[in-house]
Amino acid sequence: MTNFTLPTENSYISVGEIDYAYKKLGKNDGIPLVFLIHFRGTMENWDPAMLEHIAAERPVILFDNTGIGYTNGETPTTIAEMSEDAFQFITALGYEQVDLLGFSIGGMVAQVLTIQHPELIRKLILSGTSAAGGISPTHPKLQDAMHREDGNQEDVVNTFLFLFYPDTEKGKKLGIASLKRILNQKTIESSLQVRDAQLAAIAKWSNGNHDQALNQLNKIQQPTLVINGDNDIMVPTENSIILSKNIPDAQLIIYPKAGHGHLHQHPYRFAQHVNLFLNEK
């Protein structure tokens, strides 16, 4: 059990009418690693057991993009707009170069941000995500789970375990442990407007021109780490293999007996892989 906790106070920076909420943790010196969270997640949805080990070696920036969590405004309905908002936030902080870690929908945003603003990104990490027009999930319960409205805690736990972790005794045990760590730091949830906007953005992304998207991936010249579990029902694992084959300088890591939440299922292992990749000259 980690004793690491997120800073309780948020920092804010304004871009036009949007006041972006963020937390900076870890070391003061070095290139910061900016995190882009999953569907409906806020900056409080990262597992502190994973953050602890990454922040021990570098500056880490967590933030709520437009309309999410503590950031005002309305969440846009396209990945491109989300990417531009993330770019505006990062550059408003004064950074000329950052590393980027995108998980799930955050990985979609990270791809577009890197393609559109390559000078800003030094290294890229894509976790449990896909290129536009990639292989869609087929599990019959997935749509109901993603469209659910906020329910009681038991519903939240069961949905989280179903979406993120393998249906095994060990997988559920690790998932529950991660969820407890995350819920211990949660102070705000995303709204239904966020859910609906992100669902619309994912639908457009999923229906995108896949061949064109693969051609765009060839523009990513940054060293890239692609990570997933071998049984991702949210963003099928084959999408990670496709990403690694079409990004010129990409390496691929697949965790056995792991799902969409592989980075929280194995927080220390994931942090080790991230640090090793980012520290490599």
Side-chain angles (χ1 to χ4, degrees):
M1 185 69 177
T2 181
N3 293 320
F4 181 84
T5 57
L6 291 178
T8 55
E9 295 295 323
N10 297 327
S11 298
Y12 289 87
I13 192 163
S14 298
V15 180
E17 296 181 352
I18 305 301
D19 301 319
Y20 290 97
Y22 69 98
K23 298 179 187 290
K24 184 175 180 182
L25 47 145
K27 289 192 170 183
N28 290 322
D29 298 328
I31 294 177
L33 177 61
V34 179
F35 284 67
L36 300 169
I37 192 62
H38 61 72
F39 173 70
R40 295 197 73 181
T42 74
M43 60 180 163
E44 297 172 338
N45 277 89
W46 298 104
D47 191 324
M50 177 263 288
L51 292 174
E52 176 181 18
H53 298 291
I54 296 177
E57 297 197 18
R58 69 197 70 258
V60 164
I61 296 175
L62 316 178
F63 80 108
D64 288 333
N65 212 342
T66 304
I68 295 172
Y70 285 101
T71 297
N72 65 331
E74 283 202 356
T75 298
T77 59
T78 68
I79 299 297
E81 290 174 282
M82 296 174 187
S83 168
E84 189 59 26
D85 287 347
F87 172 75
Q88 294 296 329
F89 162 73
I90 294 169
T91 53
L93 291 178
Y95 293 115
E96 295 182 356
Q97 194 171 56
V98 299
D99 295 323
L100 201 59
L101 189 158
F103 174 32
S104 196
I105 190 175
M108 301 169 191
V109 174
Q111 290 171 58
V112 175
L113 178 53
T114 303
I115 292 167
Q116 293 298 319
H117 302 283
E119 72 289 343
L120 180 64
I121 310 304
R122 183 186 71 116
K123 290 188 177 185
L124 175 65
I125 301 166
L126 300 174
S127 177
T129 192
S130 72
I135 297 169
S136 298
T138 58
H139 198 290
K141 294 182 180 180
L142 185 61
Q143 288 301 314
D144 287 342
M146 291 184 70
H147 284 82
R148 71 165 179 82
E149 298 196 13
D150 297 320
N152 60 40
Q153 190 168 27
E154 183 178 357
D155 291 337
V156 172
V157 170
N158 289 334
T159 299
F160 177 86
L161 293 176
F162 165 71
L163 293 176
F164 282 72
Y165 297 98
D167 188 18
T168 64
E169 182 178 352
K170 185 176 182 180
K172 289 182 177 179
K173 180 180 179 180
L174 293 172
I176 289 172
S178 175
L179 182 58
K180 286 180 178 178
R181 292 190 295 267
I182 291 170
L183 289 177
N184 189 52
Q185 68 189 12
K186 284 285 286 182
T187 61
I188 193 170
E189 297 290 347
S190 291
S191 68
L192 294 180
Q193 189 275 324
V194 172
R195 180 201 68 179
D196 293 342
Q198 290 186 342
L199 284 172
I202 291 170
K204 294 169 186 173
W205 182 264
S206 300
N207 292 323
N209 186 313
H210 191 53
D211 290 337
Q212 182 178 349
L214 296 184
N215 287 333
Q216 290 290 307
L217 290 178
N218 287 321
K219 295 181 179 180
I220 297 178
Q221 298 299 312
Q222 290 84 350
T224 301
L225 177 62
V226 182
I227 310 184
N228 206 346
D230 66 350
N231 186 30
D232 187 342
I233 66 167
M234 283 272 282
V235 187
T237 304
E238 190 171 348
N239 287 296
S240 293
I241 298 171
I242 292 170
L243 285 171
S244 70
K245 288 181 177 179
N246 286 276
I247 297 174
D249 188 8
Q251 55 184 290
L252 175 67
I253 298 175
I254 300 293
Y255 293 168
K257 299 180 181 178
H260 191 60
H262 54 281
L263 67 173
H264 294 166
Q265 183 176 342
H266 301 292
Y268 180 60
R269 180 191 302 178
F270 182 84
Q272 284 183 308
H273 283 137
V274 167
N275 284 331
L276 181 65
F277 170 69
L278 294 179
N279 289 341
E280 187 177 24
K281 301 298 184 182

